[in-house]
Coordinates of all heavy atoms in Angstrom, one line a residue:
M1 N 0.8 -1.2 0.0 CA 0.0 0.0 0.0 C 0.9 1.2 0.0 O 2.0 1.2 0.5 CB -0.9 0.0 1.2 CG -1.9 -1.1 1.3 SD -3.0 -1.4 -0.2 CE -3.8 0.2 -0.3
P2 N 0.4 2.3 -0.6 CA 1.2 3.5 -0.6 C 1.4 4.2 0.7 O 0.5 4.0 1.6 CB 0.4 4.5 -1.6 CG -0.9 3.9 -1.6 CD -0.9 2.5 -1.3
T3 N 2.5 4.8 0.9 CA 2.9 5.4 2.2 C 3.1 6.9 1.9 O 3.9 7.2 1.0 CB 4.1 4.8 2.8 OG1 3.8 3.4 3.1 CG2 4.4 5.4 4.2
C4 N 2.5 7.8 2.6 CA 2.7 9.2 2.5 C 4.2 9.5 2.8 O 4.7 9.1 3.8 CB 1.8 10.0 3.4 SG 2.0 11.8 3.3
Q5 N 4.8 10.3 1.9 CA 6.2 10.6 2.1 C 6.3 11.8 3.1 O 7.4 12.0 3.6 CB 6.8 11.0 0.8 CG 6.8 9.9 -0.3 CD 7.7 8.8 0.2 OE1 8.8 8.9 0.6 NE2 7.0 7.6 0.2
N6 N 5.2 12.4 3.4 CA 5.3 13.5 4.4 C 5.1 13.1 5.8 O 5.9 13.4 6.7 CB 4.2 14.6 4.0 CG 4.4 15.9 4.8 OD1 5.5 16.3 5.0 ND2 3.3 16.5 5.2
C7 N 4.1 12.3 6.1 CA 3.7 11.9 7.4 C 4.0 10.4 7.7 O 3.8 9.9 8.8 CB 2.3 12.2 7.8 SG 1.1 11.3 6.8
S8 N 4.5 9.7 6.7 CA 4.8 8.2 6.8 C 3.7 7.3 7.2 O 3.9 6.3 7.8 CB 6.0 8.0 7.7 OG 7.1 8.7 7.3
T9 N 2.5 7.7 6.9 CA 1.3 6.9 7.2 C 0.9 6.1 6.0 O 0.9 6.6 4.8 CB 0.1 7.8 7.5 OG1 0.5 8.7 8.6 CG2 -1.1 7.0 7.9
T10 N 0.7 4.8 6.2 CA 0.2 3.9 5.1 C -1.2 4.1 4.9 O -2.0 4.1 5.8 CB 0.6 2.5 5.5 OG1 1.9 2.4 5.8 CG2 0.2 1.5 4.4
W11 N -1.6 4.3 3.6 CA -3.0 4.5 3.2 C -3.7 3.1 3.1 O -3.1 2.1 2.8 CB -3.1 5.2 1.9 CG -2.5 6.5 1.8 CD1 -1.9 7.2 2.8 CD2 -2.6 7.4 0.7 NE1 -1.5 8.5 2.4 CE2 -1.9 8.6 1.1 CE3 -3.1 7.4 -0.6 CZ2 -1.8 9.7 0.3 CZ3 -3.0 8.5 -1.4 CH2 -2.4 9.6 -1.0
T12 N -5.0 3.1 3.4 CA -5.8 1.9 3.1 C -6.1 1.8 1.7 O -6.0 2.7 0.9 CB -7.0 1.9 4.0 OG1 -7.9 3.0 3.6 CG2 -6.7 2.0 5.5
M13 N -6.7 0.7 1.3 CA -7.1 0.5 -0.1 C -8.2 1.5 -0.5 O -8.2 2.1 -1.6 CB -7.5 -0.9 -0.4 CG -8.0 -1.2 -1.8 SD -6.7 -1.2 -3.0 CE -6.1 -2.8 -2.9
K14 N -9.1 1.7 0.4 CA -10.2 2.6 0.2 C -9.7 4.0 0.0 O -10.1 4.8 -0.9 CB -11.2 2.5 1.3 CG -12.4 3.4 1.1 CD -13.4 3.2 2.3 CE -14.6 4.1 2.1 NZ -15.5 3.9 3.3
E15 N -8.8 4.5 0.9 CA -8.2 5.8 0.8 C -7.4 6.0 -0.5 O -7.5 7.0 -1.1 CB -7.3 6.1 2.0 CG -8.0 6.2 3.3 CD -7.1 6.2 4.5 OE1 -5.9 5.7 4.4 OE2 -7.5 6.7 5.6
T16 N -6.7 4.9 -0.9 CA -5.9 5.0 -2.1 C -6.8 5.1 -3.3 O -6.6 6.0 -4.2 CB -5.1 3.7 -2.3 OG1 -4.3 3.6 -1.1 CG2 -4.2 3.8 -3.5
M17 N -7.9 4.3 -3.4 CA -8.8 4.4 -4.5 C -9.5 5.8 -4.6 O -9.7 6.3 -5.6 CB -9.8 3.3 -4.5 CG -9.1 1.9 -4.7 SD -10.3 0.5 -4.6 CE -11.2 0.7 -6.1
K18 N -9.9 6.3 -3.4 CA -10.6 7.5 -3.4 C -9.7 8.7 -3.8 O -10.1 9.6 -4.5 CB -11.1 7.8 -2.0 CG -11.9 9.0 -1.8 CD -12.5 9.2 -0.4 CE -13.3 10.5 -0.3 NZ -13.8 10.6 1.1
S19 N -8.4 8.7 -3.4 CA -7.5 9.7 -3.7 C -7.1 9.7 -5.2 O -6.8 10.7 -5.8 CB -6.2 9.6 -2.8 OG -6.5 9.9 -1.5
S20 N -7.0 8.5 -5.8 CA -6.6 8.4 -7.1 C -7.7 8.6 -8.2 O -7.4 8.7 -9.4 CB -5.9 7.0 -7.4 OG -6.9 6.0 -7.3
T21 N -8.9 8.7 -7.8 CA -10.0 9.0 -8.7 C -10.2 10.4 -9.0 O -11.0 10.8 -9.9 CB -11.3 8.4 -8.2 OG1 -11.6 8.9 -6.9 CG2 -11.3 6.8 -8.1
V22 N -9.5 11.3 -8.3 CA -9.6 12.7 -8.6 C -8.9 13.0 -9.9 O -7.9 12.5 -10.2 CB -8.9 13.5 -7.4 CG1 -9.0 15.0 -7.7 CG2 -9.6 13.2 -6.1
L23 N -9.5 13.9 -10.7 CA -8.9 14.3 -12.0 C -7.6 15.1 -11.7 O -7.5 15.9 -10.8 CB -9.9 15.2 -12.8 CG -11.1 14.5 -13.3 CD1 -12.0 15.5 -14.0 CD2 -10.7 13.4 -14.3
G24 N -6.6 14.8 -12.5 CA -5.3 15.4 -12.3 C -4.3 14.4 -11.7 O -4.7 13.2 -11.4
I25 N -3.1 14.8 -11.5 CA -2.1 13.9 -11.0 C -1.8 14.0 -9.5 O -1.1 13.2 -8.9 CB -0.8 14.0 -11.8 CG1 -0.3 15.4 -11.8 CG2 -1.0 13.5 -13.3 CD1 1.0 15.6 -12.4
R26 N -2.3 15.1 -9.0 CA -2.0 15.4 -7.6 C -3.0 14.7 -6.7 O -4.2 14.8 -6.9 CB -2.1 16.9 -7.3 CG -1.8 17.3 -5.9 CD -1.9 18.9 -5.9 NE -1.8 19.3 -4.5 CZ -2.8 19.6 -3.8 NH1 -4.0 19.7 -4.3 NH2 -2.7 20.0 -2.5
M27 N -2.6 14.0 -5.7 CA -3.4 13.3 -4.7 C -3.1 14.0 -3.3 O -2.0 14.4 -3.1 CB -3.2 11.8 -4.6 CG -3.5 11.1 -5.9 SD -3.3 9.3 -5.7 CE -1.6 9.1 -5.5
T28 N -4.1 14.0 -2.5 CA -4.0 14.6 -1.2 C -4.0 13.5 -0.1 O -4.9 12.6 -0.1 CB -5.1 15.6 -0.9 OG1 -5.2 16.6 -1.9 CG2 -4.9 16.3 0.4
C29 N -3.0 13.6 0.8 CA -3.0 12.6 1.9 C -4.2 12.8 2.8 O -4.5 13.9 3.2 CB -1.7 12.8 2.7 SG -1.6 11.7 4.1
P30 N -4.9 11.7 3.0 CA -6.1 11.8 3.9 C -5.8 12.0 5.4 O -6.6 12.4 6.1 CB -6.8 10.4 3.7 CG -5.8 9.5 3.1 CD -4.8 10.3 2.5
H31 N -4.5 11.9 5.7 CA -4.1 12.1 7.1 C -3.5 13.4 7.4 O -3.9 14.1 8.4 CB -3.1 11.0 7.5 CG -3.7 9.6 7.3 ND1 -4.6 9.0 8.2 CD2 -3.5 8.7 6.3 CE1 -4.9 7.8 7.7 NE2 -4.2 7.6 6.6
C32 N -2.6 13.9 6.6 CA -1.9 15.2 6.8 C -2.3 16.3 5.8 O -2.0 17.4 6.0 CB -0.4 15.0 6.9 SG 0.4 14.6 5.3
G33 N -2.9 15.9 4.7 CA -3.3 16.9 3.7 C -2.2 17.3 2.8 O -2.4 18.2 2.0
A34 N -1.1 16.6 2.8 CA 0.0 17.0 1.9 C -0.2 16.5 0.5 O -0.9 15.5 0.3 CB 1.3 16.4 2.4
A35 N 0.3 17.2 -0.5 CA 0.2 16.8 -1.9 C 1.1 15.6 -2.1 O 2.3 15.7 -1.7 CB 0.5 18.0 -2.8
Q36 N 0.6 14.6 -2.8 CA 1.4 13.4 -3.1 C 1.2 13.1 -4.6 O 0.1 13.4 -5.1 CB 0.9 12.2 -2.2 CG 1.1 12.4 -0.8 CD 2.6 12.4 -0.4 OE1 3.3 11.4 -0.6 NE2 3.1 13.5 0.1
Y37 N 2.2 12.5 -5.2 CA 2.2 12.2 -6.6 C 2.7 10.7 -6.7 O 3.5 10.3 -5.9 CB 3.2 13.1 -7.4 CG 2.8 14.6 -7.2 CD1 3.4 15.3 -6.3 CD2 1.9 15.1 -8.1 CE1 3.1 16.7 -6.1 CE2 1.6 16.5 -8.0 CZ 2.2 17.2 -7.0 OH 1.9 18.6 -6.9
V38 N 2.1 10.1 -7.7 CA 2.6 8.7 -8.0 C 4.0 8.8 -8.5 O 4.3 9.6 -9.4 CB 1.6 8.0 -9.0 CG1 2.1 6.6 -9.3 CG2 0.2 8.0 -8.5
S39 N 4.8 7.9 -8.1 CA 6.2 7.9 -8.4 C 6.4 7.5 -9.9 O 5.6 6.9 -10.5 CB 7.1 7.0 -7.6 OG 6.8 5.7 -7.9
K40 N 7.6 7.9 -10.5 CA 7.9 7.7 -11.9 C 8.0 6.2 -12.1 O 7.5 5.7 -13.1 CB 9.2 8.4 -12.2 CG 9.7 8.1 -13.6 CD 10.8 9.0 -14.0 CE 12.1 8.5 -13.4 NZ 13.3 9.2 -14.0
Q41 N 8.6 5.4 -11.2 CA 8.7 4.0 -11.4 C 7.4 3.3 -11.4 O 7.1 2.4 -12.2 CB 9.6 3.4 -10.3 CG 10.0 2.0 -10.5 CD 10.8 1.8 -11.8 OE1 11.6 2.6 -12.2 NE2 10.5 0.7 -12.6
T42 N 6.4 3.7 -10.6 CA 5.1 3.1 -10.5 C 4.4 3.4 -11.8 O 3.7 2.5 -12.4 CB 4.3 3.7 -9.3 OG1 5.0 3.4 -8.1 CG2 2.9 3.1 -9.3
R43 N 4.5 4.6 -12.3 CA 3.8 4.9 -13.6 C 4.4 4.1 -14.8 O 3.6 3.7 -15.6 CB 3.9 6.4 -13.9 CG 2.9 7.2 -13.0 CD 2.9 8.7 -13.3 NE 4.2 9.2 -13.0 CZ 4.8 10.3 -13.6 NH1 4.1 10.9 -14.5 NH2 5.9 10.8 -13.2
K44 N 5.7 3.9 -14.8 CA 6.3 3.2 -15.8 C 5.9 1.7 -15.8 O 5.6 1.1 -16.8 CB 7.8 3.2 -15.7 CG 8.4 4.5 -16.3 CD 10.0 4.4 -16.2 CE 10.6 5.6 -16.8 NZ 12.1 5.5 -16.8
N45 N 5.9 1.1 -14.6 CA 5.5 -0.3 -14.4 C 4.0 -0.5 -14.9 O 3.7 -1.4 -15.5 CB 5.7 -0.7 -13.0 CG 7.1 -0.9 -12.6 OD1 8.0 -0.9 -13.5 ND2 7.4 -0.9 -11.3
F46 N 3.2 0.4 -14.5 CA 1.7 0.3 -14.8 C 1.5 0.5 -16.3 O 0.7 -0.3 -16.9 CB 0.9 1.3 -14.0 CG -0.6 1.2 -14.2 CD1 -1.2 0.1 -13.7 CD2 -1.3 2.2 -14.9 CE1 -2.6 0.0 -13.9 CE2 -2.6 2.1 -15.1 CZ -3.3 1.0 -14.6
S47 N 2.2 1.4 -16.9 CA 2.0 1.6 -18.4 C 2.5 0.4 -19.1 O 1.9 0.0 -20.1 CB 2.6 2.9 -18.8 OG 4.0 2.9 -18.6
F48 N 3.6 -0.2 -18.7 CA 4.1 -1.4 -19.3 C 3.2 -2.5 -19.2 O 2.9 -3.3 -20.1 CB 5.5 -1.7 -18.8 CG 6.1 -2.9 -19.4 CD1 6.6 -2.9 -20.7 CD2 6.2 -4.1 -18.7 CE1 7.2 -4.0 -21.3 CE2 6.8 -5.2 -19.3 CZ 7.3 -5.2 -20.6
A49 N 2.6 -2.7 -18.0 CA 1.6 -3.8 -17.8 C 0.4 -3.6 -18.6 O -0.1 -4.6 -19.2 CB 1.3 -3.9 -16.3
V50 N -0.1 -2.4 -18.7 CA -1.3 -2.2 -19.6 C -1.0 -2.4 -21.0 O -1.8 -3.0 -21.7 CB -1.8 -0.7 -19.4 CG1 -2.8 -0.3 -20.4 CG2 -2.4 -0.5 -18.0
F51 N 0.2 -2.1 -21.5 CA 0.6 -2.3 -22.8 C 0.6 -3.8 -23.1 O 0.2 -4.3 -24.1 CB 2.0 -1.7 -23.1 CG 2.6 -2.0 -24.4 CD1 2.0 -1.4 -25.6 CD2 3.6 -2.9 -24.6 CE1 2.6 -1.7 -26.8 CE2 4.2 -3.2 -25.8 CZ 3.6 -2.6 -26.9
L52 N 1.1 -4.6 -22.2 CA 1.2 -6.1 -22.3 C -0.2 -6.7 -22.4 O -0.5 -7.6 -23.2 CB 2.0 -6.7 -21.2 CG 3.5 -6.5 -21.3 CD1 4.1 -7.2 -20.1 CD2 4.1 -7.0 -22.6
V53 N -1.1 -6.2 -21.6 CA -2.5 -6.7 -21.6 C -3.2 -6.3 -22.9 O -3.9 -7.2 -23.5 CB -3.3 -6.1 -20.4 CG1 -4.8 -6.4 -20.6 CG2 -2.8 -6.7 -19.1
I54 N -2.9 -5.1 -23.4 CA -3.6 -4.7 -24.7 C -3.0 -5.5 -25.9 O -3.6 -5.7 -26.9 CB -3.4 -3.2 -24.9 CG1 -4.3 -2.5 -23.8 CG2 -3.8 -2.8 -26.3 CD1 -4.2 -1.0 -23.8
L55 N -1.8 -6.0 -25.7 CA -1.2 -6.8 -26.8 C -1.9 -8.1 -27.0 O -1.7 -8.7 -28.1 CB 0.3 -7.1 -26.5 CG 1.3 -6.0 -26.8 CD1 2.7 -6.5 -26.4 CD2 1.3 -5.7 -28.3
L56 N -2.8 -8.4 -26.2 CA -3.6 -9.6 -26.4 C -4.4 -9.5 -27.7 O -4.8 -10.5 -28.2 CB -4.6 -9.8 -25.2 CG -4.0 -10.4 -23.9 CD1 -5.0 -10.3 -22.8 CD2 -3.5 -11.8 -24.1
N57 N -4.7 -8.3 -28.1 CA -5.4 -8.1 -29.4 C -4.7 -8.7 -30.5 O -5.3 -9.1 -31.5 CB -5.7 -6.7 -29.6 CG -6.8 -6.1 -28.8 OD1 -7.7 -6.9 -28.4 ND2 -6.8 -4.9 -28.5
L58 N -3.4 -8.8 -30.4 CA -2.6 -9.4 -31.5 C -2.7 -10.9 -31.7 O -2.4 -11.4 -32.7 CB -1.1 -9.0 -31.3 CG -0.7 -7.5 -31.4 CD1 0.7 -7.3 -31.1 CD2 -1.1 -7.0 -32.8
L59 N -3.3 -11.5 -30.7 CA -3.5 -12.9 -30.7 C -4.8 -13.3 -31.6 O -4.9 -14.4 -32.0 CB -3.7 -13.5 -29.3 CG -2.5 -13.4 -28.4 CD1 -2.9 -14.0 -27.0 CD2 -1.3 -14.2 -29.0
I60 N -5.6 -12.4 -31.8 CA -6.9 -12.6 -32.6 C -6.6 -13.1 -34.0 O -7.1 -14.1 -34.4 CB -7.8 -11.4 -32.5 CG1 -8.3 -11.2 -31.1 CG2 -9.0 -11.6 -33.5 CD1 -9.1 -10.0 -30.9
P61 N -5.7 -12.5 -34.7 CA -5.4 -13.0 -36.1 C -4.7 -14.4 -36.1 O -4.7 -15.0 -37.2 CB -4.4 -11.9 -36.7 CG -4.6 -10.7 -35.9 CD -5.0 -11.2 -34.5
F62 N -4.2 -14.8 -35.0 CA -3.6 -16.1 -35.0 C -4.5 -17.2 -34.6 O -4.1 -18.3 -34.2 CB -2.4 -16.1 -34.1 CG -1.3 -15.2 -34.5 CD1 -1.0 -14.0 -33.9 CD2 -0.5 -15.6 -35.7 CE1 0.0 -13.2 -34.4 CE2 0.5 -14.7 -36.1 CZ 0.7 -13.5 -35.5
G63 N -5.8 -17.0 -34.6 CA -6.8 -18.0 -34.4 C -7.4 -18.1 -33.0 O -8.2 -18.9 -32.7
I64 N -6.9 -17.2 -32.1 CA -7.5 -17.1 -30.8 C -8.9 -16.4 -30.9 O -9.0 -15.4 -31.5 CB -6.6 -16.4 -29.8 CG1 -5.2 -17.0 -29.7 CG2 -7.2 -16.3 -28.4 CD1 -5.2 -18.4 -29.2
S65 N -9.9 -17.0 -30.3 CA -11.2 -16.4 -30.3 C -11.2 -15.0 -29.6 O -10.7 -14.9 -28.6 CB -12.2 -17.3 -29.6 OG -13.4 -16.7 -29.5
P66 N -11.9 -14.1 -30.2 CA -12.1 -12.8 -29.6 C -12.8 -12.9 -28.2 O -12.5 -12.1 -27.3 CB -12.9 -12.0 -30.6 CG -12.7 -12.6 -31.9 CD -12.5 -14.1 -31.6
W67 N -13.6 -13.9 -28.1 CA -14.3 -14.1 -26.8 C -13.3 -14.5 -25.7 O -13.4 -14.1 -24.5 CB -15.4 -15.1 -26.9 CG -16.5 -14.6 -27.7 CD1 -16.8 -14.9 -29.0 CD2 -17.4 -13.5 -27.4 NE1 -17.9 -14.2 -29.5 CE2 -18.3 -13.3 -28.5 CE3 -17.6 -12.7 -26.2 CZ2 -19.3 -12.4 -28.5 CZ3 -18.6 -11.8 -26.2 CH2 -19.4 -11.6 -27.3
Y68 N -12.2 -15.2 -26.0 CA -11.2 -15.6 -25.0 C -10.4 -14.3 -24.7 O -10.1 -14.1 -23.5 CB -10.2 -16.6 -25.6 CG -10.8 -18.0 -25.6 CD1 -10.8 -18.7 -26.8 CD2 -11.4 -18.6 -24.5 CE1 -11.4 -20.0 -26.9 CE2 -12.0 -19.8 -24.6 CZ -11.9 -20.5 -25.7 OH -12.5 -21.8 -25.8
V69 N -10.1 -13.5 -25.6 CA -9.4 -12.2 -25.4 C -10.3 -11.3 -24.5 O -9.8 -10.8 -23.5 CB -9.0 -11.5 -26.7 CG1 -8.4 -10.2 -26.4 CG2 -8.0 -12.4 -27.5
F70 N -11.5 -11.2 -24.8 CA -12.5 -10.4 -24.0 C -12.6 -10.9 -22.6 O -12.5 -10.2 -21.6 CB -13.8 -10.3 -24.7 CG -14.8 -9.5 -23.9 CD1 -14.7 -8.1 -23.8 CD2 -15.9 -10.1 -23.2 CE1 -15.6 -7.4 -23.1 CE2 -16.8 -9.4 -22.5 CZ -16.7 -8.0 -22.4
G71 N -12.7 -12.2 -22.5 CA -12.7 -12.9 -21.1 C -11.4 -12.6 -20.3 O -11.5 -12.4 -19.1
S72 N -10.3 -12.6 -21.0 CA -9.1 -12.4 -20.3 C -9.0 -10.9 -19.9 O -8.4 -10.6 -18.8 CB -7.9 -12.8 -21.2 OG -7.8 -11.9 -22.3
Y73 N -9.6 -10.0 -20.6 CA -9.6 -8.6 -20.2 C -10.5 -8.5 -18.9 O -10.1 -7.7 -18.1 CB -10.2 -7.7 -21.3 CG -9.3 -7.4 -22.4 CD1 -9.8 -7.0 -23.6 CD2 -7.9 -7.4 -22.3 CE1 -9.0 -6.6 -24.7 CE2 -7.1 -7.0 -23.3 CZ -7.6 -6.7 -24.5 OH -6.8 -6.3 -25.5
L74 N -11.6 -9.2 -18.9 CA -12.4 -9.1 -17.7 C -11.7 -9.6 -16.4 O -12.0 -9.2 -15.3 CB -13.7 -10.0 -17.9 CG -14.7 -9.4 -18.9 CD1 -15.9 -10.4 -19.0 CD2 -15.1 -8.0 -18.5
V75 N -10.7 -10.5 -16.6 CA -9.9 -11.0 -15.5 C -8.7 -10.1 -15.2 O -8.4 -9.7 -14.1 CB -9.5 -12.5 -15.7 CG1 -8.5 -12.9 -14.7 CG2 -10.7 -13.3 -15.8
L76 N -8.0 -9.7 -16.3 CA -6.7 -9.1 -16.2 C -6.8 -7.6 -15.7 O -6.0 -7.1 -14.9 CB -5.9 -9.2 -17.4 CG -5.4 -10.6 -17.8 CD1 -4.7 -10.6 -19.1 CD2 -4.4 -11.0 -16.7
F77 N -7.8 -6.9 -16.2 CA -7.9 -5.4 -15.9 C -8.2 -5.2 -14.4 O -7.5 -4.4 -13.7 CB -8.8 -4.7 -16.8 CG -8.2 -4.2 -18.0 CD1 -8.7 -4.6 -19.2 CD2 -7.2 -3.3 -18.0 CE1 -8.1 -4.1 -20.4 CE2 -6.6 -2.8 -19.1 CZ -7.0 -3.2 -20.4
P78 N -9.1 -5.9 -13.8 CA -9.3 -5.8 -12.3 C -8.1 -6.2 -11.5 O -7.7 -5.6 -10.6 CB -10.5 -6.6 -12.0 CG -11.3 -6.8 -13.3 CD -10.2 -6.7 -14.3
L79 N -7.4 -7.3 -12.0 CA -6.2 -7.7 -11.3 C -5.1 -6.7 -11.5 O -4.4 -6.4 -10.5 CB -5.8 -9.1 -11.9 CG -4.5 -9.7 -11.3 CD1 -4.8 -10.1 -9.9 CD2 -4.1 -10.9 -12.1
L80 N -5.0 -6.1 -12.6 CA -4.0 -5.1 -12.9 C -4.2 -3.9 -12.0 O -3.3 -3.3 -11.4 CB -4.0 -4.7 -14.3 CG -3.0 -3.7 -14.8 CD1 -1.6 -4.3 -14.8 CD2 -3.3 -3.3 -16.3
F81 N -5.4 -3.4 -11.9 CA -5.7 -2.2 -11.0 C -5.5 -2.6 -9.5 O -5.0 -1.7 -8.8 CB -7.1 -1.7 -11.3 CG -7.2 -0.8 -12.5 CD1 -7.7 -1.3 -13.7 CD2 -6.7 0.5 -12.5 CE1 -7.7 -0.5 -14.8 CE2 -6.7 1.2 -13.6 CZ -7.2 0.7 -14.8
Y82 N -5.8 -3.8 -9.1 CA -5.6 -4.2 -7.7 C -4.1 -4.1 -7.4 O -3.7 -3.6 -6.4 CB -6.2 -5.5 -7.5 CG -5.9 -6.1 -6.1 CD1 -6.7 -5.6 -5.0 CD2 -5.0 -7.0 -5.9 CE1 -6.4 -6.0 -3.7 CE2 -4.7 -7.5 -4.6 CZ -5.4 -7.0 -3.5 OH -5.1 -7.4 -2.3
T83 N -3.3 -4.7 -8.3 CA -1.9 -4.7 -8.0 C -1.3 -3.3 -8.1 O -0.3 -3.0 -7.4 CB -1.1 -5.7 -9.0 OG1 -1.4 -5.3 -10.3 CG2 -1.5 -7.1 -8.7
Y84 N -1.9 -2.5 -9.0 CA -1.4 -1.1 -9.1 C -1.6 -0.4 -7.7 O -0.7 0.3 -7.2 CB -2.2 -0.4 -10.2 CG -1.9 1.1 -10.3 CD1 -0.7 1.6 -10.7 CD2 -2.9 2.0 -9.9 CE1 -0.5 3.0 -10.8 CE2 -2.7 3.4 -10.0 CZ -1.5 3.9 -10.4 OH -1.3 5.2 -10.5
Y85 N -2.8 -0.5 -7.2 CA -3.1 0.1 -5.9 C -2.2 -0.5 -4.8 O -1.8 0.3 -3.9 CB -4.6 0.1 -5.5 CG -5.4 0.9 -6.4 CD1 -6.6 0.4 -7.0 CD2 -5.1 2.2 -6.7 CE1 -7.4 1.2 -7.8 CE2 -5.9 3.0 -7.5 CZ -7.1 2.5 -8.0 OH -7.9 3.3 -8.8
K86 N -2.0 -1.7 -4.8 CA -1.2 -2.4 -3.7 C 0.2 -2.0 -3.8 O 0.9 -1.9 -2.7 CB -1.3 -3.9 -3.9 CG -2.5 -4.5 -3.3 CD -2.6 -4.3 -1.8 CE -2.6 -5.6 -1.1 NZ -2.9 -5.4 0.3
H87 N 0.8 -1.8 -5.0 CA 2.2 -1.5 -5.1 C 2.5 -0.1 -5.5 O 3.7 0.2 -5.9 CB 2.8 -2.5 -6.1 CG 2.7 -3.9 -5.8 ND1 3.4 -4.5 -4.7 CD2 1.9 -4.9 -6.2 CE1 3.1 -5.7 -4.6 NE2 2.1 -6.0 -5.5
M88 N 1.6 0.8 -5.3 CA 1.8 2.2 -5.7 C 2.8 2.8 -4.7 O 2.7 2.6 -3.5 CB 0.5 3.0 -5.6 CG 0.6 4.4 -5.9 SD -1.0 5.3 -5.6 CE -2.1 4.6 -6.8
E89 N 3.7 3.6 -5.3 CA 4.6 4.4 -4.4 C 4.4 5.8 -4.7 O 4.1 6.2 -5.8 CB 6.1 4.0 -4.8 CG 6.5 2.6 -4.5 CD 7.9 2.3 -5.0 OE1 8.5 3.1 -5.5 OE2 8.3 1.1 -4.8
L90 N 4.5 6.6 -3.6 CA 4.2 8.1 -3.7 C 5.5 8.9 -3.6 O 6.5 8.4 -3.0 CB 3.3 8.5 -2.6 CG 1.9 7.8 -2.7 CD1 1.1 8.2 -1.4 CD2 1.2 8.1 -3.9
S91 N 5.5 10.1 -4.1 CA 6.6 11.0 -3.9 C 6.0 12.4 -3.5 O 4.8 12.7 -3.8 CB 7.5 11.1 -5.1 OG 6.7 11.7 -6.2
N92 N 6.8 13.3 -3.0 CA 6.4 14.6 -2.6 C 6.3 15.6 -3.8 O 5.7 16.6 -3.7 CB 7.3 15.2 -1.5 CG 7.1 14.6 -0.2 OD1 6.0 14.2 0.2 ND2 8.1 14.5 0.7
E93 N 7.0 15.2 -4.8 CA 7.0 16.1 -6.0 C 6.7 15.4 -7.2 O 7.0 14.2 -7.3 CB 8.3 16.9 -6.1 CG 9.5 15.9 -6.1 CD 10.8 16.6 -5.8 OE1 10.8 17.5 -4.9 OE2 11.8 16.3 -6.4
E94 N 6.2 16.1 -8.2 CA 5.9 15.4 -9.5 C 7.2 15.1 -10.2 O 8.0 16.0 -10.4 CB 5.0 16.3 -10.3 CG 4.6 15.8 -11.6 CD 3.8 16.7 -12.4 OE1 3.4 17.8 -12.0 OE2 3.5 16.4 -13.6
E95 N 7.3 13.9 -10.7 CA 8.5 13.5 -11.4 C 8.2 13.3 -12.9 O 7.1 12.8 -13.2 CB 9.0 12.1 -10.9 CG 9.4 12.2 -9.4 CD 9.6 10.8 -8.8 OE1 9.1 9.8 -9.4 OE2 10.3 10.7 -7.8
P96 N 9.0 13.8 -13.8 CA 8.7 13.6 -15.2 C 8.8 12.1 -15.6 O 9.7 11.4 -15.0 CB 9.8 14.4 -15.9 CG 10.9 14.6 -14.9 CD 10.2 14.5 -13.6
L97 N 8.0 11.7 -16.5 CA 8.0 10.3 -16.8 C 9.3 9.9 -17.6 O 9.9 8.8 -17.4 CB 6.8 9.9 -17.7 CG 6.5 8.4 -17.9 CD1 6.4 7.7 -16.6 CD2 5.3 8.2 -18.7
F98 N 9.8 10.8 -18.4 CA 11.1 10.5 -19.1 C 12.1 11.6 -18.9 O 11.9 12.7 -18.6 CB 10.8 10.4 -20.6 CG 10.0 9.2 -21.0 CD1 8.6 9.3 -21.3 CD2 10.5 7.9 -20.9 CE1 7.8 8.2 -21.6 CE2 9.7 6.8 -21.2 CZ 8.4 7.0 -21.6

């Protein structure tokens, strides 16, 4: 679970989901109110994982049924978001992705 870099408090899953649904990249710590940002490494890992899941579309021309691909999306996307929230790291300042 993410830990606030300002007050060192670990967020719960509910607090993490609530803070990350706000539009924009800035999240507010529910305990101390400090601005927190998702770390560069977490964003890279998540974007790479989403890219791999979307690559499943390339299996369709090779004879894999689109229904299997759709079914795998129904399983993989919730799993992907759960692991994203569980392994999210925070930083005090916004870091550029590249």
Side-chain angles (χ1 to χ4, degrees):
M1 295 307 301
T3 302
C4 176
Q5 298 298 309
N6 191 38
C7 65
S8 300
T9 305
T10 303
W11 297 5
T12 64
M13 179 68 83
K14 183 178 179 181
E15 291 169 340
T16 305
M17 291 176 77
K18 184 177 179 182
S19 295
S20 65
T21 56
V22 177
L23 291 177
I25 56 173
R26 181 177 171 259
M27 296 186 292
T28 304
C29 176
H31 302 282
C32 68
Q36 296 293 298
Y37 301 91
V38 178
S39 72
K40 177 170 78 171
Q41 188 62 40
T42 301
R43 287 185 292 154
K44 280 185 179 180
N45 291 343
F46 184 68
S47 61
F48 181 70
V50 168
F51 176 72
L52 288 178
V53 170
I54 291 175
L55 277 178
L56 285 173
N57 285 332
L58 295 177
L59 295 176
I60 293 173
F62 294 107
I64 302 295
S65 171
W67 291 106
Y68 287 127
V69 174
F70 179 72
S72 65
Y73 282 158
L74 291 177
V75 172
L76 290 176
F77 273 119
L79 181 65
L80 185 66
F81 280 102
Y82 176 77
T83 57
Y84 173 70
Y85 290 131
K86 278 299 242 192
H87 298 288
M88 181 189 294
E89 295 176 0
L90 300 174
S91 67
N92 284 331
E93 54 198 40
E94 181 183 356
E95 302 168 335
L97 191 55
F98 294 103

